[in-house]
Amino acid sequence: MMQVIQAHIKTIIAIAAIGVFLFFITIGSCDKENLLAAASLTSEADEALSGGSATVFDQTVNAFALPVPGLSPEDELLFFVGNSFFNQNWVQAPSSTTARDGLGPYFNAKSCSGCHFKDGRGEPPATIGQLSEGLIVRLSIPGNGAHGEPDPDPMYGGQFQDHAIDGVAYEGQYEIVYVEVPGYYPDGTSYSLRKPQINFLDLQYGAMSSDIMYSARVAPQMCGLGLLEAISEKDILAHADPDDRNGDGISGRANYVWNAIENKEQIGRFGWKANQPTILQQVSGAFNGDIGITSPYFKDQHITDAQSAQRKLVNGGDPEIDNDDLEKVHLYSATLAVPARRNVDDQDVLSGKQLFIKLGCNACHLDKVVTGNHPKFSVLSNQTIHPYTDLLLHDMGDGLADGRPDFQASGSEWRTPPLWGIGLFKTVNKHTYYLHDGRARSIEEAILWHGGEASTAKASFMQLSKAERDQLLLFLESL
Ligand code: HEC
Ligand code: HEC
Ligand SMILES: [Ca+2]
Ligand SMILES: [Ca+2]
Ligand SMILES: [Ca+2]
């Protein structure tokens, strides 16, 4: 009996000793130098499930292209028909293929997937005059329309189309030229950022307004959009801090934009400046502006009064895509699943995750959000997701400013983009261009462009050791 008790006491002492040992290791790890030597870190339960149960485990070129698991068989069928509408090229009317004629007269690409290739991230053009692989240039002049929308250029409208159907002159061409801006980390490591400059060329309809403002934007990855739509307005606003009352230098605010389909003002969620309230309006707007296809919601061809000669051209029907087919593309766009994270248990990835929080990146790139009720797809409701966005606008400083307000977003404000999937562009899209206009050639460059409200986070990133910076980047690659 005595021996048993003694044995127990020995065990207790041993456990206590291990406890004290671990305690000191933990204390030590708060010290920056010791981060690498930290005791083994563990991932949270379900950490890999970025989209909750709307997550898929494909890591191939199809990682962004799959439906959320658990759709009804009818919806799954609509998803695949929607997918073919998303991929197919529209053709000039008149044509024997009446289901997909009506391209243009002005356009940037012939299909959605021309820009959202494999539902992934678009890229800036490599050569002048090529069909867009994801970049569009929005235009406006100072002032606002009746619903707070940007005022279009009288001649070229709200978007610059560098393509047109046979017999019509395109609006013009553009080139993007880059200037290298070198810099150094405090530890002496050098880097270089490329600053883009757009030049309009060969304008076919006269000069643009002298006070023209323009904004180049690449196509975002399409995954998880329905989940973002399912987040309640209340939960978005809970993170807004327009007057920075908590004094952390970060003052996210919602964009309020016009829902032209339901005739009401609403929080914007989609697009780089959160200038679109719903997936349906974004999709209909894309058909209209990017491809030249009219729909029940955008009944007019995307041409300005100054271009009204084109109204007499043959169109592809009235409207060119009907409600049924539009709904299929809408369903498709709302039910693309989110790819699961990779390497969540890797010690460097886990250290990188700790750094992400320590640097305050998650003040804007929220790591955990719970969706509300999705009116149509219950699989998207009440999901714990890791989108790494607050869907709010932040002033990102002069370096990233486009100088073109969009509804209530100023010329230097951008919506925090979701970071889910950003480690897969290389696989899906064969490039690693980041930020609104694809100027960053790597995730590292994207961080180095942060300014304004994110200045402190950027400065703290720069203060890290090279090994720590690599850990943070490994974490971001795992998203
Ligand atoms: C010419 C290139 C191009 C084409 C073609 C195109 N898009 Fe886009 N798409 C973009 C760009 C650029 C944005 C970001 C727009 C902005 O920020 O103002 C975008 C944004 C979106 C978004 C919002 C994504 C988000 O994360 O906020 C959706 C949804 C979308 N597009 C769907 C479509 C659909 C559906 C089609 C086909 C009807 C289509 N797009 C065609 C370039 C394109
Ligand atoms: C004040 C809010 C804020 C903070 C803090 C912040 N970001 Fe961002 N982040 C943004 C916004 C807004 C953009 C988009 C800017 C643009 O495209 O011009 C962005 C873009 C990015 C991108 C590129 C995403 C893409 O899809 O192209 C990455 C990567 C990123 N941030 C990582 C980080 C990291 C890492 C940190 C911490 C060191 C951080 N961010 C801190 C707001 C923030
Ligand atoms: Ca048309
Ligand atoms: Ca135009
Ligand atoms: Ca604040």
Side-chain angles (χ1 to χ4, degrees):
M1 182 63 182
M2 206 50 202
Q3 273 164 343
V4 175
I5 291 176
Q6 272 175 354
H8 272 302
I9 289 175
K10 275 185 194 156
T11 319
I12 288 168
I13 290 174
I15 291 175
I18 293 173
V20 169
F21 179 59
L22 284 178
F23 176 71
F24 278 109
I25 288 195
T26 321
I27 293 280
S29 75
C30 299
D31 188 332
K32 209 165 75 182
E33 311 320 315
N34 284 328
L35 250 176
L36 288 171
S40 93
L41 301 164
T42 49
S43 59
E44 293 162 60
D46 294 339
E47 185 169 333
L49 306 184
S50 302
S53 58
T55 305
V56 289
F57 294 87
D58 194 303
Q59 302 177 17
T60 70
V61 65
N62 290 319
F64 294 124
L66 300 172
V68 299
L71 283 185
S72 70
E74 300 80 50
D75 284 347
E76 196 153 311
L77 188 65
L78 292 173
F79 177 93
F80 287 108
V81 185
N83 178 47
S84 63
F85 269 101
F86 192 85
N87 287 324
Q88 73 182 6
N89 276 349
W90 290 77
V91 298
Q92 181 165 348
S95 161
S96 52
T97 47
T98 52
R100 50 189 178 87
D101 66 345
L103 177 70
Y106 303 106
F107 59 94
N108 295 105
K110 294 181 179 176
S111 69
C112 307
S113 65
C115 292
H116 299 272
F117 180 69
K118 288 278 180 188
D119 311 295
R121 177 63 62 90
E123 60 182 299
T127 55
I128 298 169
Q130 73 180 72
L131 269 180
S132 178
E133 293 188 345
L135 192 132
I136 60 173
V137 184
R138 298 206 181 286
L139 306 172
S140 53
I141 56 173
N144 290 107
H147 302 296
E149 71 276 16
D151 258 344
D153 179 75
M155 197 57 90
Y156 292 92
Q159 185 168 331
F160 189 67
Q161 283 92 358
D162 53 352
H163 290 268
I165 55 172
D166 293 345
V168 176
Y170 54 53
E171 293 191 315
Q173 306 265 290
Y174 67 91
E175 63 175 356
I176 304 183
V177 291
Y178 297 95
V179 179
E180 291 291 335
V181 185
Y184 290 93
Y185 285 97
D187 71 7
T189 313
S190 66
Y191 62 80
S192 183
L193 302 177
R194 51 168 203 173
K195 181 142 185 97
Q197 158 74 41
I198 301 179
N199 298 322
F200 295 103
L201 311 166
D202 199 21
L203 291 177
Q204 294 294 307
Y205 299 84
M208 289 180 178
S209 296
S210 55
D211 46 6
I212 192 79
M213 302 181 286
Y214 46 86
S215 179
R217 304 178 186 181
V218 291
Q221 69 273 35
M222 299 272 298
C223 61
L225 297 179
L227 292 166
L228 299 180
E229 197 165 51
I231 300 170
S232 75
E233 290 207 349
K234 187 170 134 279
D235 285 343
I236 296 176
L237 293 173
H239 292 280
D241 185 18
D243 304 317
D244 191 17
R245 282 170 191 270
N246 69 355
D248 64 354
I250 296 177
S251 56
R253 59 196 194 103
N255 200 355
Y256 284 90
V257 304
W258 187 245
N259 182 328
I261 295 174
E262 295 172 47
N263 279 306
K264 61 175 190 189
E265 192 176 65
Q266 202 178 330
I267 287 186
R269 295 169 192 248
F270 302 104
W272 287 96
K273 291 212 188 228
N275 59 334
Q276 288 286 5
T278 62
I279 299 172
L280 179 59
Q281 183 161 314
Q282 170 78 54
V283 167
S284 321
F287 268 119
N288 198 247
D290 305 348
I291 315 182
I293 301 300
T294 60
S295 67
Y297 304 118
F298 292 90
K299 297 191 178 75
D300 282 338
Q301 302 287 347
H302 200 273
I303 53 184
T304 62
D305 289 345
Q307 298 163 337
S308 62
Q310 321 304 355
R311 285 193 201 284
K312 62 178 190 326
L313 293 171
V314 184
N315 63 35
D318 195 12
E320 292 167 333
I321 184 166
D322 66 21
N323 194 51
D324 269 11
D325 290 341
L326 182 69
E327 269 307 322
K328 289 168 195 153
V329 184
H330 174 209
L331 179 143
Y332 174 77
S333 303
T335 56
L336 283 160
V338 183
R341 284 186 52 202
R342 286 82 53 215
N343 309 323
V344 285
D345 293 314
D346 181 289
Q347 290 301 302
D348 287 326
V349 168
L350 284 162
S351 298
K353 179 183 149 195
Q354 284 190 332
L355 289 167
F356 186 82
I357 291 163
K358 189 174 155 199
L359 301 179
C361 309
N362 65 328
C364 305
H365 297 284
L366 298 184
D367 53 353
K368 203 176 279 177
V369 176
V370 181
T371 64
N373 275 319
H374 195 285
K376 230 171 129 190
F377 307 109
S378 57
V379 285
L380 303 175
S381 302
N382 310 314
Q383 295 300 310
T384 299
I385 59 174
H386 308 286
Y388 295 95
T389 174
D390 54 7
L391 297 180
L392 297 173
L393 298 172
H394 296 278
D395 189 322
M396 294 298 284
D398 290 343
L400 285 173
D402 63 0
R404 176 184 179 271
D406 206 333
F407 288 92
Q408 295 181 16
S410 76
S412 54
E413 282 179 317
W414 299 97
R415 175 201 70 161
T416 313
L419 300 182
W420 51 22
I422 62 163
L424 286 164
F425 298 165
K426 216 182 314 176
T427 308
V428 177
N429 301 107
K430 313 283 180 275
H431 71 72
T432 55
Y433 296 122
Y434 294 90
L435 296 177
H436 65 269
D437 52 8
R439 66 176 67 190
R441 289 163 292 196
S442 63
I443 292 179
E444 181 181 8
E445 285 187 17
I447 301 171
L448 290 168
W449 273 109
H450 281 56
E453 294 174 36
S455 298
T456 311
K458 195 265 291 280
S460 310
F461 168 73
M462 293 182 72
Q463 292 292 339
L464 298 178
S465 68
K466 169 87 170 74
E468 290 169 322
R469 294 199 300 269
D470 286 346
Q471 288 177 326
L472 181 69
L473 294 173
L474 270 182
F475 163 68
L476 293 165
E477 292 280 351
S478 80
L479 298 179

